[in-house]
Structures are given as structure tokens and as C-alpha cells.
Amino acid sequence: RRDSRPPPMARIGRLTAASAVAVLCMASLALAAYTPVSSNGAPSLRQRVRAAFVPGAKLPGLRAEGKAALCEGRICLTPAAQASPKRFSLSNMLGLKMTAAAPETEVSTGDAMEAYVKDRGGNRPIRKVLIANNGMAATKSILSMRQWAYMELGDEKAIKFVAMATPEDLNANAEFIRLADSFVEVPAGSNKNNYANVDVIIDIAIREGVDAVWPGWGHASENPNLPNTCAKNGIKFIGPTGPVMYVLGDKIAANILAQTAKVPSIPWLGSF
């Protein structure tokens, strides 16, 4: 015969939920039955809680000035309390210490960026970045920098992004184009016409007034002419400097540099 009862784990779950409800009911009854008497005649904590949550309950000794009152079974503020500069909360209703509300001051994103850079010894905030790449590299860079801006500055739009887009990227409705704040269309075809073309990148960076260029990986990211030309035009290159790129871009030179710096390296022909 087929068992129509629910599985054992389901029955256990139901019993656990029923037990929790029963415990809550018993605790509520115990709280309602227990009425502590204050030594100085002031309302007890239980009476204050009951007045705060039970419709129609009355709070002995409630003063109308600067306090909460019960209006048709619900808590409301008296005119004196509404005019008070202090913040009303349940803790105030329960007789706890009442603190004045801190004045809310608005800090602009620009000021937050300035302060962030200054606190870390910098002197050049980056507010606008040219993404000299496409595809996954561009998408990840925008998402990562937006997340950083939100976590550190409280505004994911603190940094504006300008994308470079080929006709192929536009026809594909590429994600990085939609994520960017604006884009500039660049020639189609091989990357030497667009993302690997230093002259095209610098021209766009100057015309768009960006503070920095992010090259991503591939394309022009390993071309020392890009950071060198950025530096000449007062634009920050987010990556290694030209001289470092010259050395590390050449595998033989990179190995010699590593061995000179006593970095453990795999033996090769230049080691002997």
C-alpha cells in the first residue's frame, strides 16, 4: 500500500515549526501575566513595551510634551514631539537616553575623490577613464572600477568611462559599450586600425579630456609608446611605465633582469 504521508524530513520540519510557534505563544503569555512594579511609581518596561505595540493600551504617567502618545490605538507624535529637534525612536518610548539627531551633511563625489586621493598622499584624482580595449577586458574593467568606486566613495558613478567601439562591436551590441558612459567609434578591421593604434588612442584621450587610459591586455597594452605618449600629454597610463615595459616586453631582457635581481629562474641558454 502506498504511503500518503509526507517524507520523514518534511514531518520533522513541520514539528519543529509547530514547536517554535508554541514556545513563542508561551513566552507572550508569560510576558502578559508578569507585571513588574516600579519602585518609584514610573511605568515599567513591560508597560512601555505594551503601550508601544498593543492597540488601546495606556501608558501611566505619559507626558504629552516631547513624547509619543496613542492616537486611536496607534503610536503617534504629539505636536510638541513633532516640533522637537530630537529623533523619535522606540528606545525613546522605552525611556532610554534620547540623543539629538546628527545633522546630515552632503558630500559631493568630487570632494570625496579629492579627500581619498589626498589621504593617500596623491595629488591627481582620476574621474574620467578611456577604455582602450574591447570585449571581456573592457567589461571587467568597468564593472571592477565601478564596484571599487561604490565601496570606497559610495558612488559607482564617481568615475566616468569612455569606450572605443568598432562597427563590429556596435553591431554586436557589445556589453562594454552599454556599460560605458559614452563611446567613440573607431575604424573597423584589424586592431592596428583601432585598439592597437597608439595615435588613435591618444587622439581620443585628448579630445575626450580623460584623466587616464586603461589598456587592458593584448592590443596596445604591451607597446611602450602608449605610456610614453600618455606621459607627454599629461595623461595617466594605468599600467607600467615605458622603460619597464621595454624591459619586460622582451623575454630575454626580462630573464636577464630577473637573474640580476636574484629572482629564482629556470635555467636557459643565457644562464651559461
Side-chain angles (χ1 to χ4, degrees), residues 31-245:
L31 179 62
Y34 176 60
T35 309
V37 179
S38 177
S39 59
N40 58 2
S44 65
L45 178 62
R46 176 195 168 278
Q47 289 171 326
R48 292 178 186 275
V49 173
R50 190 166 184 269
F53 293 104
V54 180
K58 295 185 178 181
L59 180 61
L62 179 67
R63 293 182 300 174
E65 184 176 357
K67 296 287 184 179
L70 291 170
C71 304
E72 299 179 357
R74 61 184 178 84
I75 299 175
C76 63
L77 289 176
T78 61
Q82 294 173 358
S84 171
K86 296 182 178 180
R87 192 186 301 276
F88 172 74
S89 65
L90 180 60
S91 61
N92 301 334
M93 186 67 186
L94 299 181
L96 301 180
K97 185 177 180 181
M98 197 175 195
T99 57
E104 296 182 358
T105 57
E106 293 187 1
V107 180
S108 67
T109 302
D111 294 339
M113 178 75 80
E114 290 275 2
Y116 183 91
V117 174
K118 186 177 180 181
D119 290 345
R120 286 155 181 79
N123 56 8
R124 185 176 183 179
I126 294 176
R127 298 188 176 89
K128 195 173 185 180
V129 177
L130 172 64
I131 305 298
N133 213 303
N134 65 339
M136 187 59 69
T139 302
K140 285 186 173 183
S141 69
I142 295 174
L143 291 175
S144 297
M145 284 188 261
R146 284 236 169 102
Q147 182 182 26
W148 174 89
Y150 179 77
M151 298 296 292
E152 295 293 335
L153 306 174
D155 181 11
E156 66 174 8
K157 293 288 188 178
I159 302 175
K160 304 298 181 184
F161 297 98
V162 180
M164 296 170 57
T166 63
E168 294 88 348
D169 292 324
L170 292 171
N171 292 335
N173 193 25
E175 180 71 10
F176 76 93
I177 300 176
R178 294 189 286 123
L179 289 174
D181 296 282
S182 62
F183 72 92
V184 176
E185 187 171 354
V186 293
S190 171
N191 68 350
K192 67 181 180 181
N193 300 329
N194 39 69
Y195 302 110
N197 192 313
V198 174
D199 293 334
V200 170
I201 295 172
I202 295 299
D203 179 64
I204 295 174
I206 294 174
R207 283 193 287 111
E208 294 296 320
V210 302
D211 299 307
V213 171
W214 187 84
W217 55 81
H219 299 311
S221 64
E222 297 182 13
N223 188 341
N225 291 329
L226 182 55
N228 290 341
T229 311
C230 282
K232 291 177 182 178
N233 289 277
I235 301 171
K236 183 67 177 176
F237 179 78
I238 305 177
T241 61
V244 172
M245 197 177 290

